[in-house]
């Protein structure tokens, strides 16, 4: 399954503002992913179903991988 993550992997919790900015960035990336056509999705190696599943995830559902 496709998982978007952001570059902040510190061992301590990020300040509230940083977490909000991370969540907004993930939201923006998921919206952009939903707008990609089949050719672009094929270029990055995911299916339309995987892209839509990722795009539908709620804003608070952010993986820290």
């Amino acid at each position: 399954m496709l998982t978007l993550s952001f570059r902040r992997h510190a061992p301590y919790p990020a300040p509230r503002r940083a977490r909000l900015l991370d969540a907004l960035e993930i939201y923006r990336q998921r919206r952009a992913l939903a707008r990609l056509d089949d050719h672009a999705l094929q270029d990055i190696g995911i299916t339309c179903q995987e892209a839509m599943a990722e795009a539908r995830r709620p804003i608070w559902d952010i993986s820290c991988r």
Side-chain angles (χ1 to χ4, degrees):
M1 181 169 100
L2 175 70
T3 303
L4 295 180
S5 65
F6 207 62
R7 62 187 162 274
R8 203 176 312 285
H9 296 287
Y12 50 86
R16 188 176 296 184
R17 178 184 162 119
R19 288 190 313 248
L20 177 61
L21 292 175
D22 286 351
L24 291 174
E25 177 63 18
I26 294 295
Y27 176 79
R28 186 193 64 76
Q29 290 177 13
R30 288 177 179 165
R31 298 288 67 86
L33 183 63
R35 290 189 303 268
L36 293 178
D37 64 4
D38 288 336
H39 183 70
L41 292 172
Q42 185 180 10
D43 282 349
I44 62 173
I46 63 172
T47 66
C48 184
Q49 291 81 15
E50 291 172 327
M52 290 303 109
E54 180 66 30
R56 282 189 222 108
R57 289 173 58 190
I59 193 169
W60 59 84
D61 186 13
I62 299 174
S63 174
C64 292
R65 292 188 226 180

